Amino acid sequence: MSAQRPIRTTGSGDTSPASRPGDTKDAMHNAPTRQRFKLKEDYRGRLPLSLSRFLGYRHPGSSPPYDPLPPFGFLWRIPIRWEVIVFGSIAAFVSILLVEALCVTSTTFRDLYRSPVIVASFGASAVLVYGVIESPLSQPRNLIGGQIICAIIGVALTRLFARDHSYLPSLRNESFHGNVFVNGALSMSIALLAMFITGTVHPPGGATALIAATSYEAAAMSWKYIPVVICSTLVMFGWALIINNLGRRRYPIYWWSPQRTFVIDDAPEPPEDEEIALGTGRDNVLRQAEDGGRTAEAILEDRLSGRGGSPEAIMRALSRESRAGTPYSPRQRRKSIA
């Protein structure tokens, strides 16, 4: 029989959300709906290792740092910090070259769209996607979603303000123009709001929206600015899938969410915090404080506030707490409470 979840009450006698009767019905009603859109397994594991590796998949149970590809086995001889520095620098260099090549060679972007050499915000994206690949801001949902959403918002607002025919000439900053003044701030702030709502916060995306509003080249491209941003994002992301998975790191850490969003999780529910405390004796320290004992934190707080608390007292409290961290039985717990 599984343990019953304890009911927590507030001073007014109201139960917490986990213990309200209606919540159980809602959970039972919503559970099939949530499971309906999940897969039974992570199907990346069925792909050849040479392919699944570059989709961010690693065997369950493996932990970082991961084994590099055989040609890069020499990486075990150097600190991972230097691997990050070298690979990140090379990756950023190549990615900017690729995006620039997309816009400056004889392609539709240069000949028909009249695009700039590169949308400047992708320099900041390169720092995130190749320098701090574990950051949530660097993951595919944030990179792709943030850039595209911000580009659409920036262009849409600029098209509204550009109904004033003096808008584009005023972007040369030869004189003050109120529409440019307002649109720049409005585009960036609404883009940030949209990223918050959609869970796609990517800081360079704010610059993408701002460029669409305040750059003459971007504003003149109008809606053609959006496919340039989309293609630049996909080029940068595709290169990230390759270069960031050659060594001992992996990218992406997740595609949509840190949780197992699309895969049914058959793992048992983790025990409640109180159950962990019962098994490890971790709440001994808290009980000492409740019974009038003084923890190291309490003594240190007294000392900082000028009410005493010597270093010797702090060390004695730490020693007492470390001894209290040994496992004990519920019977011993009842004796200590008594």
Side-chain angles (χ1 to χ4, degrees):
M1 181 180 296
S2 59
Q4 295 292 327
R5 182 168 183 167
I7 299 177
R8 301 179 178 88
T9 59
T10 62
S12 61
D14 185 22
T15 59
S16 66
S19 62
R20 290 177 184 145
D23 289 347
T24 304
K25 295 180 180 179
D26 292 341
M28 295 175 62
H29 176 72
N30 293 332
T33 303
R34 290 196 302 267
Q35 298 289 351
R36 185 183 307 166
F37 299 102
K38 289 191 174 184
L39 303 174
K40 294 182 178 180
E41 63 176 294
D42 188 342
Y43 288 100
R44 292 180 299 173
R46 295 189 177 187
L47 298 174
L49 184 60
S50 58
L51 177 60
S52 63
R53 178 186 183 90
F54 295 102
L55 296 177
Y57 178 81
R58 299 294 185 273
H59 288 297
S62 58
S63 59
Y66 304 98
D67 291 329
L69 286 178
F72 300 92
F74 66 90
L75 292 175
W76 286 115
R77 303 177 184 176
I78 64 174
I80 196 167
R81 175 173 177 269
W82 285 105
E83 177 185 336
V84 173
I85 292 173
V86 173
F87 272 71
S89 302
I90 295 174
F93 175 77
V94 174
S95 71
I96 297 300
L97 285 182
L98 292 174
V99 176
E100 287 177 337
L102 183 71
C103 297
V104 301
T105 56
S106 183
T107 60
T108 301
F109 298 119
R110 187 194 71 176
D111 301 336
L112 183 62
Y113 290 1
R114 305 296 179 187
S115 66
V117 174
I118 189 173
V119 178
S121 60
F122 284 97
S125 289
V127 174
L128 288 173
V129 177
Y130 307 113
V132 284
I133 66 175
E134 295 84 3
S135 170
L137 305 176
S138 308
Q139 305 312 308
R141 177 181 179 179
N142 299 71
L143 169 65
I144 300 174
Q147 285 284 12
I148 295 176
I149 289 173
C150 291
I152 294 173
I153 290 175
V155 172
L157 289 175
T158 301
R159 292 308 304 160
L160 290 176
F161 282 91
R163 294 175 67 88
D164 179 358
H165 297 293
S166 62
Y167 184 89
L168 280 179
S170 65
L171 290 177
R172 301 186 184 278
N173 202 26
E174 297 175 352
S175 61
F176 177 81
H177 195 284
N179 286 347
V180 176
F181 186 72
V182 173
N183 187 32
L186 190 63
S187 296
M188 190 275 152
S189 59
I190 293 182
L192 177 60
L193 177 63
M195 287 190 290
F196 276 139
I197 294 174
T198 58
T200 57
V201 174
H202 186 65
T208 300
L210 189 61
I211 291 170
T214 59
S215 168
Y216 180 84
E217 288 180 305
M221 291 172 63
S222 184
W223 297 106
K224 300 185 183 80
Y225 178 74
I226 297 175
V228 172
V229 170
I230 293 175
C231 292
S232 300
T233 303
L234 295 179
V235 167
M236 185 166 284
F237 175 61
W239 173 237
L241 291 178
I242 298 173
I243 189 69
N244 289 340
N245 287 299
L246 296 178
R248 290 174 287 178
R249 299 192 294 170
R250 74 180 178 106
Y251 178 85
I253 304 300
Y254 58 85
W255 284 79
W256 187 260
S257 170
Q259 289 78 26
R260 292 165 61 90
T261 307
F262 298 117
V263 180
I264 298 175
D265 192 358
D266 295 327
E269 182 179 355
E272 292 295 321
D273 190 69
E274 292 88 351
E275 296 174 9
I276 297 175
L278 284 174
T280 62
R282 187 168 50 96
D283 64 342
N284 275 346
V285 178
L286 297 178
R287 193 182 320 111
Q288 287 178 8
E290 294 171 357
D291 294 341
R294 302 180 70 207
T295 64
E297 290 83 0
I299 297 172
L300 182 59
E301 184 177 354
D302 288 346
R303 186 179 184 189
L304 293 175
S305 59
R307 297 195 298 269
S310 64
E312 292 78 13
I314 297 176
M315 296 304 299
R316 285 196 299 271
L318 287 172
S319 177
R320 181 175 64 249
E321 293 166 11
S322 63
R323 291 196 302 272
T326 56
Y328 64 102
S329 65
R331 179 178 299 176
Q332 291 172 326
R333 183 178 188 274
R334 288 194 294 271
K335 285 183 179 179
S336 63
I337 294 176

